[in-house]
Amino acid sequence: MMRFFALALLALALPTPAMARKADSTPRTVVMTAFLPEWDALVKSVDKPKRHQINGMTFLTGRMAGKPVLLMQSGVSMVNAAMNTQLVLDRFTVRRIVFSGIAGGVDPGLSIGDVIVPQDWAQYLEVSFARKNGDGWTVPEAVDADAPANWGMMFPRGVRIGNANEPVKRHYSFGVDPALLRLAQKVAGDVKLERCVQNEGAAPACLPHDPKIVVGGTGVSAGVFADNAEFRDYLSRAWKARVLDMESAAVAQVAYANGVPVIVFRSLSDLAGGDAGENQMVAFMALASVNSAHVVRAFVAALPD
């Protein structure tokens, strides 16, 4: 019995994957992308790269514009983004998170190729599904006064979470870091965006307009490839959303829980159902990835460390 007890204590003392040592001790800015086109737009900007393989993922440490960075892919959608944001925080020394990627436009004033830097991010499918009751709905829990309006049976309920400095409370959105947002505003006027990009094996994809950079407003995320005009209008009206994607709100929530500064840059590859014709994501995701990368490189160059 004593031997069994000693072995049990030894097992508890051994490091688990969650307690594994840091893969790199240098404080770095994490430059996060969701998937390969966004990674490809930035990977050549990392000087003296060193690869780290963890859980089948590649984390690339090096320098960008002279600053220590770590380039990674979160993986597409909310669970991947949350899981791998926590992984990079656990295994590396992170100063801040800077996300670069593509998105769907919700604000009618935005066009494909534009880059938007929202001030906060919300999860629009954190909802209660209500029962139909005549011409109305019976919601399974009380609807908070601060909740955005419902879409049919879907009633937003937010998420309850706190961190080391704030008690647990209900959140409908998570703000990006105010200082990083101010820096983005300063950088925005100095970056030239692309109107055309060469797609591999195809003719160049070109825009009929000069894209622009917009700082501020709300972004929304969910595990949905949204391409529906009516739902787009709802997100604009109820959530005041300007852009939607599948990762950013999850990254912002994990950053909030860990007390890590975060900011997100997203370039529009499509209009989330607001296009006159078919969805344009495939045609313009390379251009959108490049435009977001242009702004992110300038932003990293302007960081103090």
PDB file of all heavy atoms in Angstrom, residues 264-303:
ATOM      1  N   VAL A 264      -7.424  42.783 -33.683  1.00  0.00           N
ATOM      2  CA  VAL A 264      -7.752  41.959 -34.845  1.00  0.00           C
ATOM      3  C   VAL A 264      -7.858  42.844 -36.087  1.00  0.00           C
ATOM      4  O   VAL A 264      -8.557  43.859 -36.072  1.00  0.00           O
ATOM      5  CB  VAL A 264      -9.078  41.205 -34.636  1.00  0.00           C
ATOM      6  CG1 VAL A 264      -9.433  40.388 -35.875  1.00  0.00           C
ATOM      7  CG2 VAL A 264      -8.998  40.309 -33.397  1.00  0.00           C
ATOM      8  N   PHE A 265      -7.178  42.408 -37.152  1.00  0.00           N
ATOM      9  CA  PHE A 265      -7.250  43.059 -38.455  1.00  0.00           C
ATOM     10  C   PHE A 265      -7.916  42.083 -39.424  1.00  0.00           C
ATOM     11  O   PHE A 265      -7.466  40.950 -39.585  1.00  0.00           O
ATOM     12  CB  PHE A 265      -5.850  43.408 -38.964  1.00  0.00           C
ATOM     13  CG  PHE A 265      -5.112  44.393 -38.105  1.00  0.00           C
ATOM     14  CD1 PHE A 265      -4.477  43.978 -36.933  1.00  0.00           C
ATOM     15  CD2 PHE A 265      -5.056  45.732 -38.458  1.00  0.00           C
ATOM     16  CE1 PHE A 265      -3.793  44.883 -36.128  1.00  0.00           C
ATOM     17  CE2 PHE A 265      -4.372  46.646 -37.664  1.00  0.00           C
ATOM     18  CZ  PHE A 265      -3.746  46.220 -36.501  1.00  0.00           C
ATOM     19  N   ARG A 266      -8.973  42.520 -40.084  1.00  0.00           N
ATOM     20  CA  ARG A 266      -9.692  41.654 -41.017  1.00  0.00           C
ATOM     21  C   ARG A 266      -9.943  42.408 -42.322  1.00  0.00           C
ATOM     22  O   ARG A 266     -10.427  43.538 -42.323  1.00  0.00           O
ATOM     23  CB  ARG A 266     -11.034  41.218 -40.428  1.00  0.00           C
ATOM     24  CG  ARG A 266     -10.915  40.241 -39.253  1.00  0.00           C
ATOM     25  CD  ARG A 266     -10.592  38.850 -39.717  1.00  0.00           C
ATOM     26  NE  ARG A 266     -10.597  37.873 -38.636  1.00  0.00           N
ATOM     27  CZ  ARG A 266     -10.522  36.554 -38.830  1.00  0.00           C
ATOM     28  NH1 ARG A 266     -10.438  36.058 -40.044  1.00  0.00           N
ATOM     29  NH2 ARG A 266     -10.522  35.731 -37.793  1.00  0.00           N
ATOM     30  N   SER A 267      -9.623  41.756 -43.436  1.00  0.00           N
ATOM     31  CA  SER A 267      -9.899  42.326 -44.754  1.00  0.00           C
ATOM     32  C   SER A 267     -11.048  41.558 -45.392  1.00  0.00           C
ATOM     33  O   SER A 267     -11.110  40.322 -45.308  1.00  0.00           O
ATOM     34  CB  SER A 267      -8.654  42.262 -45.632  1.00  0.00           C
ATOM     35  OG  SER A 267      -8.911  42.831 -46.906  1.00  0.00           O
ATOM     36  N   LEU A 268     -11.941  42.267 -46.058  1.00  0.00           N
ATOM     37  CA  LEU A 268     -13.148  41.642 -46.591  1.00  0.00           C
ATOM     38  C   LEU A 268     -12.865  40.870 -47.869  1.00  0.00           C
ATOM     39  O   LEU A 268     -12.364  41.424 -48.847  1.00  0.00           O
ATOM     40  CB  LEU A 268     -14.216  42.705 -46.874  1.00  0.00           C
ATOM     41  CG  LEU A 268     -14.636  43.621 -45.720  1.00  0.00           C
ATOM     42  CD1 LEU A 268     -15.899  44.365 -46.090  1.00  0.00           C
ATOM     43  CD2 LEU A 268     -14.808  42.855 -44.430  1.00  0.00           C
ATOM     44  N   SER A 269     -13.208  39.590 -47.845  1.00  0.00           N
ATOM     45  CA  SER A 269     -13.121  38.753 -49.038  1.00  0.00           C
ATOM     46  C   SER A 269     -14.479  38.601 -49.708  1.00  0.00           C
ATOM     47  O   SER A 269     -14.561  38.176 -50.862  1.00  0.00           O
ATOM     48  CB  SER A 269     -12.583  37.369 -48.667  1.00  0.00           C
ATOM     49  OG  SER A 269     -13.447  36.739 -47.723  1.00  0.00           O
ATOM     50  N   ASP A 270     -15.539  38.932 -48.989  1.00  0.00           N
ATOM     51  CA  ASP A 270     -16.899  38.808 -49.515  1.00  0.00           C
ATOM     52  C   ASP A 270     -17.819  39.664 -48.659  1.00  0.00           C
ATOM     53  O   ASP A 270     -17.381  40.278 -47.676  1.00  0.00           O
ATOM     54  CB  ASP A 270     -17.360  37.346 -49.514  1.00  0.00           C
ATOM     55  CG  ASP A 270     -17.460  36.777 -48.107  1.00  0.00           C
ATOM     56  OD1 ASP A 270     -16.434  36.315 -47.571  1.00  0.00           O
ATOM     57  OD2 ASP A 270     -18.560  36.822 -47.534  1.00  0.00           O
ATOM     58  N   LEU A 271     -19.096  39.684 -49.007  1.00  0.00           N
ATOM     59  CA  LEU A 271     -20.063  40.529 -48.297  1.00  0.00           C
ATOM     60  C   LEU A 271     -21.109  39.720 -47.549  1.00  0.00           C
ATOM     61  O   LEU A 271     -22.199  40.218 -47.259  1.00  0.00           O
ATOM     62  CB  LEU A 271     -20.722  41.515 -49.273  1.00  0.00           C
ATOM     63  CG  LEU A 271     -19.755  42.469 -49.982  1.00  0.00           C
ATOM     64  CD1 LEU A 271     -20.517  43.412 -50.916  1.00  0.00           C
ATOM     65  CD2 LEU A 271     -18.913  43.265 -48.981  1.00  0.00           C
ATOM     66  N   ALA A 272     -20.814  38.476 -47.217  1.00  0.00           N
ATOM     67  CA  ALA A 272     -21.641  37.657 -46.318  1.00  0.00           C
ATOM     68  C   ALA A 272     -23.105  37.577 -46.746  1.00  0.00           C
ATOM     69  O   ALA A 272     -24.006  37.557 -45.916  1.00  0.00           O
ATOM     70  CB  ALA A 272     -21.554  38.209 -44.894  1.00  0.00           C
ATOM     71  N   GLY A 273     -23.344  37.525 -48.053  1.00  0.00           N
ATOM     72  CA  GLY A 273     -24.712  37.453 -48.569  1.00  0.00           C
ATOM     73  C   GLY A 273     -25.197  38.756 -49.145  1.00  0.00           C
ATOM     74  O   GLY A 273     -26.277  38.807 -49.743  1.00  0.00           O
ATOM     75  N   GLY A 274     -24.413  39.816 -48.984  1.00  0.00           N
ATOM     76  CA  GLY A 274     -24.809  41.112 -49.514  1.00  0.00           C
ATOM     77  C   GLY A 274     -24.339  41.365 -50.929  1.00  0.00           C
ATOM     78  O   GLY A 274     -24.623  42.420 -51.500  1.00  0.00           O
ATOM     79  N   ASP A 275     -23.606  40.378 -51.510  1.00  0.00           N
ATOM     80  CA  ASP A 275     -23.136  40.534 -52.882  1.00  0.00           C
ATOM     81  C   ASP A 275     -24.313  40.518 -53.859  1.00  0.00           C
ATOM     82  O   ASP A 275     -25.321  39.841 -53.630  1.00  0.00           O
ATOM     83  CB  ASP A 275     -22.191  39.385 -53.269  1.00  0.00           C
ATOM     84  CG  ASP A 275     -21.174  39.067 -52.171  1.00  0.00           C
ATOM     85  OD1 ASP A 275     -21.593  38.497 -51.148  1.00  0.00           O
ATOM     86  OD2 ASP A 275     -20.002  39.395 -52.360  1.00  0.00           O
ATOM     87  N   ALA A 276     -24.161  41.206 -54.987  1.00  0.00           N
ATOM     88  CA  ALA A 276     -25.208  41.196 -55.999  1.00  0.00           C
ATOM     89  C   ALA A 276     -25.326  39.825 -56.654  1.00  0.00           C
ATOM     90  O   ALA A 276     -26.414  39.387 -57.030  1.00  0.00           O
ATOM     91  CB  ALA A 276     -24.919  42.258 -57.060  1.00  0.00           C
ATOM     92  N   GLY A 277     -24.195  39.128 -56.789  1.00  0.00           N
ATOM     93  CA  GLY A 277     -24.199  37.806 -57.392  1.00  0.00           C
ATOM     94  C   GLY A 277     -23.759  36.764 -56.386  1.00  0.00           C
ATOM     95  O   GLY A 277     -24.106  36.824 -55.208  1.00  0.00           O
ATOM     96  N   GLU A 278     -22.941  35.801 -56.846  1.00  0.00           N
ATOM     97  CA  GLU A 278     -22.495  34.727 -55.980  1.00  0.00           C
ATOM     98  C   GLU A 278     -21.436  35.221 -55.000  1.00  0.00           C
ATOM     99  O   GLU A 278     -20.826  36.289 -55.178  1.00  0.00           O
ATOM    100  CB  GLU A 278     -21.943  33.574 -56.810  1.00  0.00           C
ATOM    101  CG  GLU A 278     -20.690  33.925 -57.598  1.00  0.00           C
ATOM    102  CD  GLU A 278     -20.219  32.773 -58.458  1.00  0.00           C
ATOM    103  OE1 GLU A 278     -21.022  31.868 -58.756  1.00  0.00           O
ATOM    104  OE2 GLU A 278     -19.032  32.784 -58.848  1.00  0.00           O
ATOM    105  N   ASN A 279     -21.213  34.438 -53.940  1.00  0.00           N
ATOM    106  CA  ASN A 279     -20.211  34.791 -52.934  1.00  0.00           C
ATOM    107  C   ASN A 279     -18.842  34.899 -53.581  1.00  0.00           C
ATOM    108  O   ASN A 279     -18.449  34.056 -54.396  1.00  0.00           O
ATOM    109  CB  ASN A 279     -20.205  33.736 -51.826  1.00  0.00           C
ATOM    110  CG  ASN A 279     -19.319  34.129 -50.668  1.00  0.00           C
ATOM    111  OD1 ASN A 279     -18.101  33.998 -50.732  1.00  0.00           O
ATOM    112  ND2 ASN A 279     -19.938  34.600 -49.600  1.00  0.00           N
ATOM    113  N   GLN A 280     -18.075  35.945 -53.190  1.00  0.00           N
ATOM    114  CA  GLN A 280     -16.801  36.260 -53.830  1.00  0.00           C
ATOM    115  C   GLN A 280     -15.581  35.803 -53.028  1.00  0.00           C
ATOM    116  O   GLN A 280     -14.452  36.139 -53.370  1.00  0.00           O
ATOM    117  CB  GLN A 280     -16.705  37.774 -54.041  1.00  0.00           C
ATOM    118  CG  GLN A 280     -17.755  38.340 -54.975  1.00  0.00           C
ATOM    119  CD  GLN A 280     -17.568  37.838 -56.391  1.00  0.00           C
ATOM    120  OE1 GLN A 280     -16.554  38.085 -57.026  1.00  0.00           O
ATOM    121  NE2 GLN A 280     -18.564  37.111 -56.892  1.00  0.00           N
ATOM    122  N   MET A 281     -15.788  35.007 -51.962  1.00  0.00           N
ATOM    123  CA  MET A 281     -14.674  34.662 -51.082  1.00  0.00           C
ATOM    124  C   MET A 281     -13.528  33.967 -51.816  1.00  0.00           C
ATOM    125  O   MET A 281     -12.362  34.320 -51.648  1.00  0.00           O
ATOM    126  CB  MET A 281     -15.164  33.797 -49.922  1.00  0.00           C
ATOM    127  CG  MET A 281     -14.131  33.630 -48.803  1.00  0.00           C
ATOM    128  SD  MET A 281     -12.970  32.263 -49.015  1.00  0.00           S
ATOM    129  CE  MET A 281     -14.026  30.872 -48.613  1.00  0.00           C
ATOM    130  N   VAL A 282     -13.830  32.980 -52.650  1.00  0.00           N
ATOM    131  CA  VAL A 282     -12.774  32.245 -53.338  1.00  0.00           C
ATOM    132  C   VAL A 282     -11.987  33.163 -54.261  1.00  0.00           C
ATOM    133  O   VAL A 282     -10.755  33.097 -54.340  1.00  0.00           O
ATOM    134  CB  VAL A 282     -13.375  31.057 -54.122  1.00  0.00           C
ATOM    135  CG1 VAL A 282     -12.311  30.389 -54.988  1.00  0.00           C
ATOM    136  CG2 VAL A 282     -13.973  30.037 -53.153  1.00  0.00           C
ATOM    137  N   ALA A 283     -12.685  34.066 -54.934  1.00  0.00           N
ATOM    138  CA  ALA A 283     -12.014  34.972 -55.870  1.00  0.00           C
ATOM    139  C   ALA A 283     -11.108  35.966 -55.168  1.00  0.00           C
ATOM    140  O   ALA A 283     -10.043  36.319 -55.687  1.00  0.00           O
ATOM    141  CB  ALA A 283     -13.056  35.710 -56.705  1.00  0.00           C
ATOM    142  N   PHE A 284     -11.491  36.406 -53.964  1.00  0.00           N
ATOM    143  CA  PHE A 284     -10.781  37.517 -53.358  1.00  0.00           C
ATOM    144  C   PHE A 284     -10.109  37.202 -52.019  1.00  0.00           C
ATOM    145  O   PHE A 284      -9.605  38.100 -51.359  1.00  0.00           O
ATOM    146  CB  PHE A 284     -11.725  38.715 -53.185  1.00  0.00           C
ATOM    147  CG  PHE A 284     -12.068  39.383 -54.483  1.00  0.00           C
ATOM    148  CD1 PHE A 284     -13.319  39.235 -55.055  1.00  0.00           C
ATOM    149  CD2 PHE A 284     -11.118  40.145 -55.150  1.00  0.00           C
ATOM    150  CE1 PHE A 284     -13.637  39.833 -56.262  1.00  0.00           C
ATOM    151  CE2 PHE A 284     -11.417  40.768 -56.356  1.00  0.00           C
ATOM    152  CZ  PHE A 284     -12.681  40.613 -56.918  1.00  0.00           C
ATOM    153  N   MET A 285     -10.070  35.906 -51.612  1.00  0.00           N
ATOM    154  CA  MET A 285      -9.449  35.632 -50.315  1.00  0.00           C
ATOM    155  C   MET A 285      -7.939  35.877 -50.348  1.00  0.00           C
ATOM    156  O   MET A 285      -7.365  36.280 -49.337  1.00  0.00           O
ATOM    157  CB  MET A 285      -9.761  34.218 -49.834  1.00  0.00           C
ATOM    158  CG  MET A 285      -9.137  33.093 -50.598  1.00  0.00           C
ATOM    159  SD  MET A 285      -9.585  31.501 -49.841  1.00  0.00           S
ATOM    160  CE  MET A 285      -8.861  30.363 -51.022  1.00  0.00           C
ATOM    161  N   ALA A 286      -7.279  35.674 -51.493  1.00  0.00           N
ATOM    162  CA  ALA A 286      -5.846  35.951 -51.566  1.00  0.00           C
ATOM    163  C   ALA A 286      -5.588  37.446 -51.455  1.00  0.00           C
ATOM    164  O   ALA A 286      -4.690  37.886 -50.720  1.00  0.00           O
ATOM    165  CB  ALA A 286      -5.258  35.396 -52.859  1.00  0.00           C
ATOM    166  N   LEU A 287      -6.380  38.251 -52.161  1.00  0.00           N
ATOM    167  CA  LEU A 287      -6.213  39.701 -52.079  1.00  0.00           C
ATOM    168  C   LEU A 287      -6.501  40.203 -50.665  1.00  0.00           C
ATOM    169  O   LEU A 287      -5.761  41.048 -50.127  1.00  0.00           O
ATOM    170  CB  LEU A 287      -7.133  40.390 -53.086  1.00  0.00           C
ATOM    171  CG  LEU A 287      -6.999  41.913 -53.172  1.00  0.00           C
ATOM    172  CD1 LEU A 287      -7.182  42.384 -54.609  1.00  0.00           C
ATOM    173  CD2 LEU A 287      -8.020  42.624 -52.277  1.00  0.00           C
ATOM    174  N   ALA A 288      -7.580  39.704 -50.069  1.00  0.00           N
ATOM    175  CA  ALA A 288      -7.918  40.125 -48.708  1.00  0.00           C
ATOM    176  C   ALA A 288      -6.822  39.727 -47.729  1.00  0.00           C
ATOM    177  O   ALA A 288      -6.461  40.508 -46.830  1.00  0.00           O
ATOM    178  CB  ALA A 288      -9.253  39.526 -48.290  1.00  0.00           C
ATOM    179  N   SER A 289      -6.270  38.530 -47.882  1.00  0.00           N
ATOM    180  CA  SER A 289      -5.178  38.091 -47.004  1.00  0.00           C
ATOM    181  C   SER A 289      -3.979  39.016 -47.129  1.00  0.00           C
ATOM    182  O   SER A 289      -3.343  39.382 -46.133  1.00  0.00           O
ATOM    183  CB  SER A 289      -4.768  36.655 -47.355  1.00  0.00           C
ATOM    184  OG  SER A 289      -5.816  35.751 -47.123  1.00  0.00           O
ATOM    185  N   VAL A 290      -3.642  39.406 -48.358  1.00  0.00           N
ATOM    186  CA  VAL A 290      -2.501  40.294 -48.599  1.00  0.00           C
ATOM    187  C   VAL A 290      -2.752  41.671 -47.999  1.00  0.00           C
ATOM    188  O   VAL A 290      -1.862  42.263 -47.375  1.00  0.00           O
ATOM    189  CB  VAL A 290      -2.220  40.388 -50.111  1.00  0.00           C
ATOM    190  CG1 VAL A 290      -1.282  41.545 -50.428  1.00  0.00           C
ATOM    191  CG2 VAL A 290      -1.627  39.080 -50.618  1.00  0.00           C
ATOM    192  N   ASN A 291      -3.955  42.204 -48.168  1.00  0.00           N
ATOM    193  CA  ASN A 291      -4.239  43.537 -47.629  1.00  0.00           C
ATOM    194  C   ASN A 291      -4.186  43.556 -46.106  1.00  0.00           C
ATOM    195  O   ASN A 291      -3.640  44.489 -45.503  1.00  0.00           O
ATOM    196  CB  ASN A 291      -5.589  44.037 -48.129  1.00  0.00           C
ATOM    197  CG  ASN A 291      -5.486  44.664 -49.514  1.00  0.00           C
ATOM    198  OD1 ASN A 291      -4.392  44.964 -49.991  1.00  0.00           O
ATOM    199  ND2 ASN A 291      -6.620  44.853 -50.167  1.00  0.00           N
ATOM    200  N   SER A 292      -4.750  42.540 -45.461  1.00  0.00           N
ATOM    201  CA  SER A 292      -4.651  42.473 -44.005  1.00  0.00           C
ATOM    202  C   SER A 292      -3.187  42.371 -43.582  1.00  0.00           C
ATOM    203  O   SER A 292      -2.751  43.038 -42.629  1.00  0.00           O
ATOM    204  CB  SER A 292      -5.440  41.277 -43.487  1.00  0.00           C
ATOM    205  OG  SER A 292      -5.395  41.220 -42.076  1.00  0.00           O
ATOM    206  N   ALA A 293      -2.409  41.566 -44.298  1.00  0.00           N
ATOM    207  CA  ALA A 293      -0.991  41.396 -43.973  1.00  0.00           C
ATOM    208  C   ALA A 293      -0.221  42.702 -44.111  1.00  0.00           C
ATOM    209  O   ALA A 293       0.666  42.998 -43.303  1.00  0.00           O
ATOM    210  CB  ALA A 293      -0.375  40.319 -44.862  1.00  0.00           C
ATOM    211  N   HIS A 294      -0.541  43.495 -45.128  1.00  0.00           N
ATOM    212  CA  HIS A 294       0.129  44.791 -45.291  1.00  0.00           C
ATOM    213  C   HIS A 294      -0.053  45.655 -44.041  1.00  0.00           C
ATOM    214  O   HIS A 294       0.900  46.277 -43.546  1.00  0.00           O
ATOM    215  CB  HIS A 294      -0.456  45.543 -46.498  1.00  0.00           C
ATOM    216  CG  HIS A 294       0.036  45.082 -47.827  1.00  0.00           C
ATOM    217  ND1 HIS A 294       1.178  44.346 -48.000  1.00  0.00           N
ATOM    218  CD2 HIS A 294      -0.472  45.274 -49.087  1.00  0.00           C
ATOM    219  CE1 HIS A 294       1.362  44.097 -49.285  1.00  0.00           C
ATOM    220  NE2 HIS A 294       0.366  44.638 -49.962  1.00  0.00           N
ATOM    221  N   VAL A 295      -1.291  45.717 -43.547  1.00  0.00           N
ATOM    222  CA  VAL A 295      -1.568  46.558 -42.381  1.00  0.00           C
ATOM    223  C   VAL A 295      -0.896  45.981 -41.136  1.00  0.00           C
ATOM    224  O   VAL A 295      -0.337  46.717 -40.314  1.00  0.00           O
ATOM    225  CB  VAL A 295      -3.085  46.718 -42.176  1.00  0.00           C
ATOM    226  CG1 VAL A 295      -3.355  47.695 -41.020  1.00  0.00           C
ATOM    227  CG2 VAL A 295      -3.755  47.225 -43.442  1.00  0.00           C
ATOM    228  N   VAL A 296      -0.936  44.670 -40.991  1.00  0.00           N
ATOM    229  CA  VAL A 296      -0.340  44.036 -39.814  1.00  0.00           C
ATOM    230  C   VAL A 296       1.171  44.245 -39.784  1.00  0.00           C
ATOM    231  O   VAL A 296       1.748  44.517 -38.729  1.00  0.00           O
ATOM    232  CB  VAL A 296      -0.718  42.545 -39.760  1.00  0.00           C
ATOM    233  CG1 VAL A 296       0.171  41.776 -38.782  1.00  0.00           C
ATOM    234  CG2 VAL A 296      -2.177  42.405 -39.352  1.00  0.00           C
ATOM    235  N   ARG A 297       1.841  44.133 -40.925  1.00  0.00           N
ATOM    236  CA  ARG A 297       3.293  44.382 -40.945  1.00  0.00           C
ATOM    237  C   ARG A 297       3.618  45.798 -40.510  1.00  0.00           C
ATOM    238  O   ARG A 297       4.549  46.026 -39.726  1.00  0.00           O
ATOM    239  CB  ARG A 297       3.844  44.110 -42.340  1.00  0.00           C
ATOM    240  CG  ARG A 297       4.152  42.650 -42.611  1.00  0.00           C
ATOM    241  CD  ARG A 297       4.945  42.493 -43.893  1.00  0.00           C
ATOM    242  NE  ARG A 297       4.150  42.885 -45.046  1.00  0.00           N
ATOM    243  CZ  ARG A 297       3.400  42.039 -45.752  1.00  0.00           C
ATOM    244  NH1 ARG A 297       3.373  40.760 -45.415  1.00  0.00           N
ATOM    245  NH2 ARG A 297       2.706  42.451 -46.788  1.00  0.00           N
ATOM    246  N   ALA A 298       2.845  46.772 -41.003  1.00  0.00           N
ATOM    247  CA  ALA A 298       3.068  48.158 -40.594  1.00  0.00           C
ATOM    248  C   ALA A 298       2.780  48.346 -39.113  1.00  0.00           C
ATOM    249  O   ALA A 298       3.478  49.108 -38.416  1.00  0.00           O
ATOM    250  CB  ALA A 298       2.192  49.085 -41.434  1.00  0.00           C
ATOM    251  N   PHE A 299       1.762  47.663 -38.626  1.00  0.00           N
ATOM    252  CA  PHE A 299       1.409  47.758 -37.207  1.00  0.00           C
ATOM    253  C   PHE A 299       2.521  47.182 -36.333  1.00  0.00           C
ATOM    254  O   PHE A 299       2.922  47.794 -35.344  1.00  0.00           O
ATOM    255  CB  PHE A 299       0.098  47.017 -36.966  1.00  0.00           C
ATOM    256  CG  PHE A 299      -0.375  47.040 -35.541  1.00  0.00           C
ATOM    257  CD1 PHE A 299      -1.053  48.121 -35.033  1.00  0.00           C
ATOM    258  CD2 PHE A 299      -0.126  45.963 -34.699  1.00  0.00           C
ATOM    259  CE1 PHE A 299      -1.484  48.154 -33.711  1.00  0.00           C
ATOM    260  CE2 PHE A 299      -0.546  45.981 -33.394  1.00  0.00           C
ATOM    261  CZ  PHE A 299      -1.226  47.084 -32.898  1.00  0.00           C
ATOM    262  N   VAL A 300       3.026  45.987 -36.691  1.00  0.00           N
ATOM    263  CA  VAL A 300       4.105  45.376 -35.919  1.00  0.00           C
ATOM    264  C   VAL A 300       5.338  46.270 -35.923  1.00  0.00           C
ATOM    265  O   VAL A 300       6.012  46.433 -34.895  1.00  0.00           O
ATOM    266  CB  VAL A 300       4.427  43.959 -36.462  1.00  0.00           C
ATOM    267  CG1 VAL A 300       5.708  43.410 -35.829  1.00  0.00           C
ATOM    268  CG2 VAL A 300       3.256  43.025 -36.208  1.00  0.00           C
ATOM    269  N   ALA A 301       5.645  46.873 -37.076  1.00  0.00           N
ATOM    270  CA  ALA A 301       6.802  47.773 -37.160  1.00  0.00           C
ATOM    271  C   ALA A 301       6.662  48.957 -36.208  1.00  0.00           C
ATOM    272  O   ALA A 301       7.665  49.484 -35.701  1.00  0.00           O
ATOM    273  CB  ALA A 301       6.983  48.261 -38.592  1.00  0.00           C
ATOM    274  N   ALA A 302       5.414  49.384 -35.963  1.00  0.00           N
ATOM    275  CA  ALA A 302       5.181  50.544 -35.104  1.00  0.00           C
ATOM    276  C   ALA A 302       5.111  50.194 -33.619  1.00  0.00           C
ATOM    277  O   ALA A 302       5.081  51.102 -32.770  1.00  0.00           O
ATOM    278  CB  ALA A 302       3.870  51.226 -35.509  1.00  0.00           C
ATOM    279  N   LEU A 303       5.094  48.912 -33.283  1.00  0.00           N
ATOM    280  CA  LEU A 303       5.052  48.511 -31.873  1.00  0.00           C
ATOM    281  C   LEU A 303       6.333  48.925 -31.154  1.00  0.00           C
ATOM    282  O   LEU A 303       7.414  48.961 -31.765  1.00  0.00           O
ATOM    283  CB  LEU A 303       4.866  46.993 -31.762  1.00  0.00           C
ATOM    284  CG  LEU A 303       3.497  46.424 -32.120  1.00  0.00           C
ATOM    285  CD1 LEU A 303       3.558  44.905 -32.216  1.00  0.00           C
ATOM    286  CD2 LEU A 303       2.435  46.862 -31.122  1.00  0.00           C
TER     287      LEU A 303
END
